[in-house]
Amino acid sequence: MADDFGAEHFAARTKILYDEFSKSFAECDAVVFVNGVVDEEVLYKKSTALQAWLFGREMQDTVVVIAASGLHIVTRAHAAALDFVRTTRIPGHDALKSTVTAATTESMDSAFQQLLANIKNSKQGSAVGTIGKEKSVGPFADKWQKSFDSAGFKIVNVATAVATLFLVKDALEQKFIRTAAKLSCTVMNGTLVPTIEEIIDDEKKESHSSIAEKVEDVFANPAKIRKGLTKEMIESCYTPIIQSGGIYDLKPSAVSNDDMLHFGTILCSVGARYKHYCTNIARTLMVDPDQDQEANYAFLLKIRTQLLKGIKVGMKLSAVWDIARDLVNKERPDLEPHFVKNCGFGIGLEFRESALSLGGKNSRLLAAGMTFNLCIGFSGLERKGKLKDEKLRQYALMLADTVLVNASGAENLTAECDATWSEVSYFLDDEEEDEHDSKKNTKDTKSSGPKSADLGGRRQTRATAMEKSKDSDAEEKRRRHQLELEERKREEAEQRFREEEEGKTAGKRNIKQGDHVSYRDRKDFHKEALINPTTVQVDLMHDTVILPIYGTLVPFHISTIKSASRSEDFLRINFITPISNFIGTNKQPRGFVDPKATFIRELTYRVADKRHLNNVLRLIQEVRKRHLAKVETEKTREGLVVQEDLILIKGRVPRLTDLYVRPNITGRRTLGALEVHKNGFRFKANKGPSIDIMFKNIKHAFYQPADKDPIVLIHFHLHNGIMIGKKRVNDVQVYTEVGEIAQSIDGQRGARGREDRDDIEEEQRERMVRRRLNDEFLAFVKKIEDLEPGLEFDVPYRDLGFFGVPGRTSVFLMPTVHCLVQLIEPPYFILTLDEIEIAHFERVQFSLKNFDVVFVHKDLGLPPTHISAIPMQNLEPIKEWLDECNIKYYEGPGSLNWKVILATIRQDPKKFWRDGGWNFLNAEGSDDEGEADSEEAEDAYQPSDQDDEDDGYNGGSSDDDGGGGSDEEEAYHDDDDDDDDGEDDDEDEEDGEDWDELERKAEKADRSRGRFDDEVPGKNTRGRRNDEYSEDEDDEEKRSSSRRSGAASARGGSGGGGGRGGGGRSAAPPPVKRQRVDSGGGVARPSGSGGGGGRAATRNSGSRASASP
């Protein structure tokens, strides 16, 4: 993965370290930092932070010396993991030579002496930088400290210089902080706030410290936060802080006391630390607040909004404080004494980066990549008037968010935890509420009848109100967040389009006509062609056809020939021209330098020698086929990146056995094992070649357990494709089938076991196999993440999954942290969420059961990703998921032509954003308009008789179908009415079709559907006809006449509304009036004009069909 910690990250950060070595560390000849065993009393140490920053991991019992000659490391148990330190070249510092020494109990003294020698050989060898007052504990650290103290070096405190290394975060660090911020929001929204709400709702008595312990326990069980998390990946930055009851401390050093939670103003703070990187979030919850509290909180939100808008790269940190202070002094000077003394501090590997304090005296400049804990608030506020509880008098307000500074400004990483008034205020139905508050806050109480006098009634009313408030505010919360995303997308897109315009490339390379040359020198010309200058020749070596034209041999490369064919004694050769669209069936692209040039379209030769004619034609076709295969291979290999060699680990390596791999290495399924080595994976097949996958080339890694699927799998989605056999692939998957192993276990039970097996036992065995396989794969994944910290496996969330059609078949799609995937059956579907610009829901109409969603990529040169036929019940969950992923979405009742839309945007992106960007999707149309358009389209479609015949349509319909005939059909009914009046219709006898023609068409319609009309629900016209014959007629005549009647109705439309007597227009065909049957001389009298051709319509007309010998 591009964001994995690997040698490239080590090289980049070591370069920063040595660039600062002559600046911030100028007073030192060397720098030493040591880490012993874990000290439970100290959570944050600069030595461990420096380890995590430089090496991507924390390591116990390790000493690192930063000398002029390079990094020199002595460690007890991490030498193998640090082997890349010795081999990695540092840009701009080629002379550096680093060493890594594995120290045992016996060799520890000599290893320490070598480190001391390295220090003495660095520059002057006298002044050594250490990290202030930090002390490491443990036998290893004690022994090193004793050796170091005996050397008598001059000590220089470099704690501040080390802290400056962490201030600007690279892409990998930003990713970890983003993930940590999401986890903080998850804990706040999913655990801390619901816990407080439950206590308020049930009127429990619970202390602040008890609530904090409950929340901290969630970090001890990371699977409760998010599936796939482990204790090694996440921990709490501090014990969560809950404050209420008039005692508040807005400092980050505050703690939760043992007082009971008071139902007034509640301050709650929580911070998640993900892979060593910290985040923080704080919110203020208010129960039954008054108008002054609401106004003060609204002003606090305004300050936060102004700060987020005002933060820009290049401004002084003190200017951030000035924005907040000036706003308070201008609009609410009464709150100035209560405002905090600074607006927060930097956050990252250390919870508090004091060098980035957002106070009024910090002159350091803001830079892209810095992250802050933006914390603002008011303390010491008082409520006015008479209160039922004096603890409600004193209150404080606080908001804290984790903010990332990027090129376009500030990004609030904890925006998922909404801080709007509706989300933080709670109003309880209390008997002692005054009339004003009752009208304002408890409107539902009036309509609920008399208030309950007991506490149970109050609890029930309050719980109902809180639940209704959540439901009603969910959509509003999502709408506001979408508006923020739209504004952010506009700013990001404008910046991205500007960068793309500045760095435009020439685009994709087409295969040109001049790319292939037959002969570059006269010496290469086909010698055999000179022997017979009047015959057509094929030069197999140079893929060339040599044609005689007016006595001159002219070579044509096979790439210029479109096709060759023969007709008797003639050979016809067609050439590719500027007006040709493809080469054969491969549709290979081609271009012409001058599309207006004169060209030859075809040549025809008469060849008297048929043997030579056949031979030339065969050779041309073979050469052309070979050439197209060569072009296809070159196209497949185009853009392949040469991978580094896999560095094998000797001895035992983590491996997973009995796996199949997809795609197959050979034609059959390939069984083998997946091994983890120093810089990548190797799938080692039992028979056949191996597959190597480098860590650096992995874009996404997935682990999907076999919860409800037939396989458990590990899937790698690659940055650059690799060749497996003759195919270039970007996805490699290893898996094990659950059913296959379950059958294997069952086979070992013997014949008696198979005979006695029942369904319950079989299900138990399958569950046992699933559990075992899931545990094995999960343990393997955890080992990988421990060995390669930058490699993170995503686990699909089945609970958020939905069915859709991204290709040709319906599949079950599941979101992960970074993607939307389908990994069970190829072709796989993997959509990276970070690459999505917007999502657009299409065909969202009340009358439809399904809808579509289109994902537009940030790279507008890529075609959008369509997922169709998603069940309508998934619409709201998908919207909520996209909103949580900070993806802007739109919806409309119809489908859009995205090819035209994106082409228009690419032509002038600046104009596109000036005109409002994606706002045009909001004005696409309402659902009602879409339904009206749909109805108009349905009414406009009037199928003709010919269409019905071609499609094999029977014309009969169920009663639910609406009748809708043409004018021509109505004219037929007019004729039928005339016939009922007794007028002679013999002269119209030839207007209809005879029985034989109708019989053939009816049989054709039956064959095209694969069933008879009486087998179609609601269309049993045969049964209706059979009921109308008299009992004294012959069965064969009944069946024959019935088929004829069915054939006659096959030409008609649907007549669900009945005939004229039923008040509708019939879609029946023109009545067959006394048509003569040639074989048998039967006569069919005209049936009535009742629509639908059903039994009721026939009986109403009083008519009857019969056949006579």
Side-chain angles (χ1 to χ4, degrees), residues 375-650:
C375 183
I376 55 176
F378 299 107
S379 61
L381 299 175
E382 290 188 5
R383 296 180 66 173
K384 300 176 182 178
K386 185 179 178 180
L387 301 172
K388 62 181 180 181
D389 188 348
E390 281 302 315
K391 286 187 176 182
L392 297 173
R393 181 77 61 188
Q394 297 284 337
Y395 72 96
L397 302 175
M398 182 172 68
L399 282 176
D401 290 281
T402 302
V403 175
L404 169 66
V405 179
N406 50 42
S408 59
E411 179 183 356
N412 187 358
L413 302 182
T414 50
E416 293 182 13
C417 187
D418 200 349
T420 54
W421 178 251
S422 60
E423 289 296 314
V424 301
S425 58
Y426 301 88
F427 298 94
L428 309 184
D429 292 336
D430 198 329
E431 295 177 13
E432 299 179 6
E433 287 179 332
D434 60 337
E435 184 178 356
H436 173 74
D437 290 338
S438 177
K439 290 180 179 179
K440 178 181 177 183
N441 302 327
T442 58
K443 295 179 181 179
D444 293 340
T445 308
K446 290 185 177 182
S447 60
S448 61
K451 293 183 180 180
S452 176
D454 60 353
L455 294 177
R458 288 174 52 197
R459 285 197 297 269
Q460 181 179 4
T461 306
R462 179 168 64 251
T464 303
M466 293 173 67
E467 189 65 27
K468 288 182 178 180
S469 176
K470 290 181 183 179
D471 294 340
S472 61
D473 292 341
E475 182 62 29
E476 179 64 19
K477 172 184 174 183
R478 203 163 61 203
R479 187 189 66 80
R480 288 194 302 269
H481 187 220
Q482 286 293 306
L483 292 176
E484 294 176 4
L485 289 177
E486 185 173 7
E487 182 64 26
R488 189 190 311 168
K489 284 293 180 185
R490 181 180 291 105
E491 296 174 359
E492 293 176 356
E494 288 176 349
Q495 177 67 21
R496 186 170 65 251
F497 284 136
R498 284 195 297 268
E499 294 173 357
E500 289 178 357
E501 286 183 352
E502 293 172 0
K504 278 184 178 178
T505 59
K508 294 184 179 180
R509 173 181 176 270
N510 287 333
I511 300 176
K512 300 295 182 181
Q513 185 184 13
D515 286 351
H516 303 285
V517 178
S518 295
Y519 305 107
R520 300 188 181 276
D521 194 284
R522 292 184 178 182
K523 298 177 181 179
D524 299 332
F525 195 80
H526 193 48
K527 301 298 188 296
E528 296 182 5
L530 300 175
I531 301 175
N532 298 311
T534 59
T535 60
V536 178
Q537 300 288 334
V538 180
D539 187 351
L540 299 177
M541 185 175 297
H542 295 88
D543 293 343
T544 299
V545 179
I546 302 174
L547 302 176
I549 301 178
Y550 297 114
T552 302
L553 294 176
V554 181
F556 291 88
H557 194 272
I558 195 66
S559 62
T560 65
I561 296 177
K562 180 179 179 181
S563 63
S565 60
R566 61 160 293 182
S567 177
E568 296 182 353
D569 295 339
F570 293 93
L571 173 66
R572 179 182 178 185
I573 299 176
N574 295 317
F575 294 94
I576 298 171
T577 67
I579 61 175
S580 300
N581 293 324
F582 57 88
I583 303 177
T585 59
N586 295 71
K587 296 189 178 180
Q588 298 289 348
R590 88 275 143 249
F592 283 80
V593 177
D594 184 6
K596 297 181 180 180
T598 304
F599 57 87
I600 300 175
R601 184 171 184 178
E602 68 177 58
L603 289 174
T604 303
Y605 290 88
R606 184 177 182 277
V607 183
D609 188 352
K610 292 187 178 181
R611 178 179 296 179
H612 180 68
L613 173 61
N614 292 333
N615 187 52
V616 168
L617 183 62
R618 178 181 59 82
L619 291 177
I620 292 175
Q621 293 174 346
E622 289 181 1
V623 171
R624 183 174 173 277
K625 183 178 180 181
R626 185 178 65 187
H627 173 74
L628 290 178
K630 181 180 177 181
V631 170
E632 185 67 24
T633 302
E634 292 176 352
K635 182 181 177 182
T636 302
R637 292 183 173 272
E638 184 179 359
L640 281 178
V641 177
V642 179
Q643 296 193 83
E644 59 181 325
D645 294 332
L646 183 67
I647 303 175
L648 301 178
I649 297 177
K650 297 181 180 179

Side-chain angles (χ1 to χ4, degrees), residues 31-265:
V31 177
V32 175
F33 61 96
V34 59
N35 197 13
V37 297
V38 176
D39 188 354
E40 299 293 344
E41 296 181 359
V42 181
L43 184 58
Y44 299 103
K45 294 174 61 178
K46 282 186 170 59
S47 57
T48 55
L50 188 55
Q51 282 185 348
W53 180 76
L54 197 56
F55 307 116
R57 66 188 71 213
E58 291 184 5
M59 298 172 291
Q60 300 180 27
D61 292 342
T62 302
V63 180
V64 179
V65 172
I66 305 171
S69 58
L71 298 176
H72 303 285
I73 304 171
V74 173
T75 181
R76 287 288 297 267
H78 304 281
L82 294 175
D83 190 59
F84 64 89
V85 174
R86 296 185 300 101
T87 59
T88 302
R89 174 183 169 275
I90 309 304
H93 301 276
D94 296 334
L96 295 179
K97 293 184 179 179
S98 301
T99 61
V100 179
T101 304
T104 61
T105 305
E106 295 77 13
S107 64
M108 194 177 299
D109 290 332
S110 61
F112 287 163
Q113 291 303 317
Q114 183 60 46
L115 282 183
L116 296 176
N118 291 331
I119 295 174
K120 294 176 181 179
N121 294 331
S122 179
K123 295 183 180 180
Q124 302 300 321
S126 59
V128 179
T130 61
I131 303 177
K133 300 179 180 179
E134 280 191 4
K135 300 295 182 183
S136 297
V137 297
F140 178 90
D142 293 342
K143 197 164 188 178
W144 160 255
Q145 193 63 44
K146 185 177 179 181
S147 300
F148 181 75
D149 292 341
S150 64
F153 294 113
K154 177 185 175 182
I155 305 302
V156 179
N157 188 354
V158 294
T160 303
V162 170
T164 59
L165 299 174
F166 311 147
L167 300 185
V168 178
K169 282 73 177 176
D170 58 26
L172 176 62
E173 294 176 291
Q174 292 179 28
K175 183 209 169 181
F176 289 160
I177 291 176
R178 286 179 185 275
T179 304
K182 289 187 181 227
L183 296 175
S184 294
C185 293
T186 301
V187 174
M188 176 68 80
N189 293 333
T191 302
L192 180 51
V193 173
T195 300
I196 293 176
E197 289 177 347
E198 182 181 355
I199 294 172
I200 296 173
D201 186 57
D202 296 338
E203 294 186 347
K204 295 180 181 178
K205 290 187 177 182
E206 193 161 353
S207 66
H208 300 145
S209 57
S210 175
I211 299 171
E213 289 176 2
K214 284 184 178 180
V215 178
E216 197 168 24
D217 288 343
V218 175
F219 287 97
N221 298 280
K224 295 181 180 179
I225 303 175
R226 194 182 78 188
K227 192 174 182 181
L229 287 178
T230 62
K231 294 181 180 179
E232 294 76 16
M233 298 166 62
I234 183 175
E235 61 181 330
S236 177
C237 294
Y238 54 86
T239 302
I241 305 171
I242 294 92
Q243 305 175 74
S244 68
I247 302 175
Y248 304 98
D249 184 0
L250 304 191
K251 296 178 181 178
S253 57
V255 294
S256 301
N257 57 32
D258 293 330
D259 295 346
M260 296 298 169
L261 182 71
H262 185 264
F263 301 166
T265 300

Side-chain angles (χ1 to χ4, degrees), residues 659-812:
L659 302 177
Y660 293 107
V661 65
R662 291 192 289 200
N664 298 327
I665 301 177
T666 59
R668 301 178 180 178
R669 288 203 305 176
T670 306
L671 187 66
L674 183 66
E675 300 177 346
V676 184
H677 292 277
K678 190 161 295 185
N679 60 337
F681 297 94
R682 167 167 286 183
F683 179 80
K684 195 172 183 180
N686 295 345
K687 295 181 181 179
S690 301
I691 301 174
D692 292 342
I693 304 171
M694 302 299 109
F695 291 145
K696 294 180 181 178
N697 195 29
I698 299 176
K699 184 176 182 181
H700 298 293
F702 304 97
Y703 157 63
Q704 182 168 329
D707 293 335
K708 295 183 181 180
D709 299 312
I711 62 175
V712 54
L713 61 89
I714 292 176
H715 188 102
F716 302 109
H717 184 59
L718 308 179
H719 279 294
N720 304 301
I722 61 175
M723 296 299 296
I724 297 182
K726 297 182 179 180
K727 295 182 179 180
R728 176 182 175 181
V729 297
N730 283 79
D731 292 275
V732 180
Q733 182 182 110
V734 294
Y735 67 96
T736 295
E737 295 180 348
V738 177
E740 185 176 283
I741 295 183
Q743 292 175 3
S744 175
I745 294 176
D746 182 60
Q748 297 173 3
R749 295 170 60 89
R752 181 177 180 180
R754 288 193 295 271
E755 293 175 0
D756 299 338
R757 181 181 60 190
D758 57 15
D759 293 340
I760 297 177
E761 291 177 347
E762 185 177 357
E763 291 177 2
Q764 290 176 346
R765 282 192 296 274
E766 186 171 331
R767 282 197 298 269
M768 178 185 67
V769 172
R770 286 180 185 273
R771 191 181 306 111
R772 179 171 64 82
L773 289 176
N774 290 342
D775 292 343
E776 290 178 359
F777 273 68
L778 181 59
F780 180 75
V781 166
K782 289 182 177 179
K783 285 183 181 178
I784 297 171
E785 292 181 333
D786 291 340
L787 294 173
E788 188 64 23
L791 184 62
E792 179 183 355
F793 281 81
D794 276 355
V795 181
Y797 301 131
R798 178 170 291 276
D799 295 340
L800 300 178
F802 56 90
F803 283 95
V805 183
R808 296 185 177 180
T809 58
S810 179
V811 295
F812 190 68

Side-chain angles (χ1 to χ4, degrees), residues 864-892:
T865 300
H866 293 256
I867 302 177
S868 58
I870 304 174
M872 193 62 72
Q873 61 263 29
N874 296 116
L875 180 60
E876 290 303 317
I878 294 177
K879 284 183 179 180
E880 184 176 352
W881 165 63
L882 291 177
D883 188 68
E884 291 176 354
C885 296
N886 290 326
I887 295 176
K888 174 63 180 171
Y889 63 80
Y890 300 87
E891 68 175 72

